[in-house]
Amino acid sequence: MLRYRILVNPTARNGADARWVGGVRAAFARTDHEIVIPGSFEAMCRAARDAREDGVDVVVVVGGDGTVNAVANQLVGGPVALAVVPAGTANDLARQLGMPLTPLAACQAILRGERRAMDVGVVNGQCFLTGGGTGIVSDVAVGIHALKSGKGLAAWFTRALGSLAYTLYSAWLIISAPRVAHVLTLRLEGQPPVTGLLLAMFVNNQPAIGRTVCACPGTQPDDGSLGWCKLVWTSRLRGLWLAAAMNRGGAHAELAGVNAGEARELELTADEPLEFMADGELLAQASVLRISVLPASLWVLAPPQRVGGGWLMEATSKCA
């Protein structure tokens, strides 16, 4: 019998809801499990890090992408599998894995789930699972995080919008921010560096982030590489057009001013510190960002594979 350690983030969008915790407890009632509600970020990481020594087979995270990222960083390269009961805003990894978004259904999917190995991205030593980037990508993530963390109507409305908040905030920044573009130099393996004025630089381990932003349509989390996509800056109107196209199933990929590809390693440099956001968190802030992939380095539990094989999940279908 598998042994489960269930880590609940009490500050996640839905993690502290007693109905969620009660539903998870009921779903795992006939298993060997323990439910842990850590009192701090450090306690969360420690509970995940100690899972192997404690004989745990699966660490189940009840939380959003940020909590999943923190736990995954403790499990990469080891035998303990990660599973997700989505309780955040975007729930990007859960969507990619094909997890249901309600607690009972997610728990049932975990209990009958299959163990799969997925790639992990690394930026300046910090692991990420889904995707993100720099430029307006990080500006939007920082802004949304600040709004959600606040109080009052703005915070409530931002949380209520879910992943749509990221799209709307992107448009608002492109229209109104004093500075939107950044001068970045991209270095890819075996190619000369390219410098340009960019609106955004995405680096993904899956096709989409959020429910609709399909930045890297061909990228899969088990293909041994990371997808990248850069949007060249020309004007605010053009920026809005590119942002809208990214929400139309990857239609941006064929437009002028968009370059994309796959890489195992890449480097981004600038004359000023760059913020790299991924999995909903600020993972690096430096003038040099070194990004690489660790192939098949994290075990995850996902619903049984569909007919035809592959990671045939919601995020992928949005890029079809």
Side-chain angles (χ1 to χ4, degrees):
M1 177 182 290
L2 293 178
R3 184 177 180 189
Y4 299 88
R5 173 167 291 171
I6 303 167
L7 303 181
V8 180
N9 178 10
T11 65
R13 186 185 184 196
N14 297 304
D17 192 317
R19 292 171 300 174
W20 280 64
V21 177
V24 171
R25 181 179 289 111
F28 283 86
R30 297 184 179 181
T31 69
D32 183 357
H33 76 280
E34 60 176 329
I35 295 180
V36 180
I37 304 178
S40 66
F41 176 83
E42 291 74 17
M44 176 80 71
C45 293
R46 184 168 58 252
R49 187 168 54 249
D50 293 343
R52 182 175 182 178
E53 290 185 9
D54 296 341
V56 173
D57 299 294
V58 182
V59 172
V60 180
V61 178
V62 183
D65 290 312
T67 308
V68 172
N69 175 279
V71 171
N73 268 270
Q74 315 306 314
L75 303 181
V76 169
V80 180
L82 171 72
V84 183
V85 177
T89 301
N91 300 309
D92 284 337
L93 181 64
R95 293 178 188 278
Q96 176 62 49
L97 296 178
M99 295 298 298
L101 299 183
T102 57
L104 177 59
C107 291
Q108 291 172 341
I110 290 170
L111 291 172
R112 68 172 187 272
E114 295 179 344
R115 187 178 170 99
R116 304 181 193 173
M118 68 174 285
D119 304 335
V120 172
V122 182
V123 54
N124 288 11
Q126 181 75 15
C127 294
F128 63 94
L129 306 181
T130 59
T134 191
I136 197 172
V137 186
S138 59
D139 295 340
V140 168
V142 169
I144 291 295
H145 186 272
L147 286 171
K148 290 193 302 181
S149 301
K151 297 180 179 180
L153 183 60
W156 175 86
F157 188 62
T158 302
R159 291 192 291 267
L161 284 172
S163 59
L164 179 60
Y166 293 87
T167 300
L168 297 177
Y169 195 79
S170 298
W172 182 79
L173 278 184
I174 292 172
I175 292 170
S176 64
R179 180 187 178 190
V180 183
H182 302 263
V183 177
L184 302 180
T185 298
L186 171 64
R187 291 179 173 85
L188 296 169
E189 298 174 274
Q191 299 183 27
V194 177
T195 302
L197 188 61
L198 303 185
L199 171 64
M201 179 72 192
F202 291 87
V203 182
N204 277 25
N205 193 35
Q206 61 185 47
I209 53 176
R211 297 182 66 178
T212 60
V213 182
C214 188
C216 303
T219 300
Q220 292 293 295
D222 62 350
D223 60 4
S225 64
L226 297 172
W228 60 270
C229 176
K230 63 178 184 177
L231 306 184
V232 177
W233 174 259
T234 54
S235 68
R236 293 183 188 269
L237 182 60
R238 181 67 176 176
L240 284 172
W241 175 250
L242 292 178
M246 296 192 77
N247 287 273
R248 295 177 53 244
H252 65 290
E254 304 300 323
L255 298 178
V258 178
N259 302 109
E262 299 278 327
R264 291 176 59 90
E265 295 182 1
L266 58 98
E267 182 180 277
L268 295 170
T269 59
D271 293 333
E272 58 188 342
L274 298 171
E275 292 182 330
F276 188 93
M277 300 288 297
D279 295 352
E281 299 293 320
L282 176 62
L283 301 186
Q285 189 172 23
S287 58
V288 179
L289 300 174
R290 295 183 175 89
I291 307 168
S292 59
V293 64
L294 298 176
S297 57
L298 178 68
W299 291 104
V300 294
L301 285 189
Q305 213 165 26
R306 303 179 187 180
V307 176
W311 295 72
L312 196 60
M313 307 303 175
E314 180 181 351
T316 307
S317 67
K318 285 185 179 296
C319 297

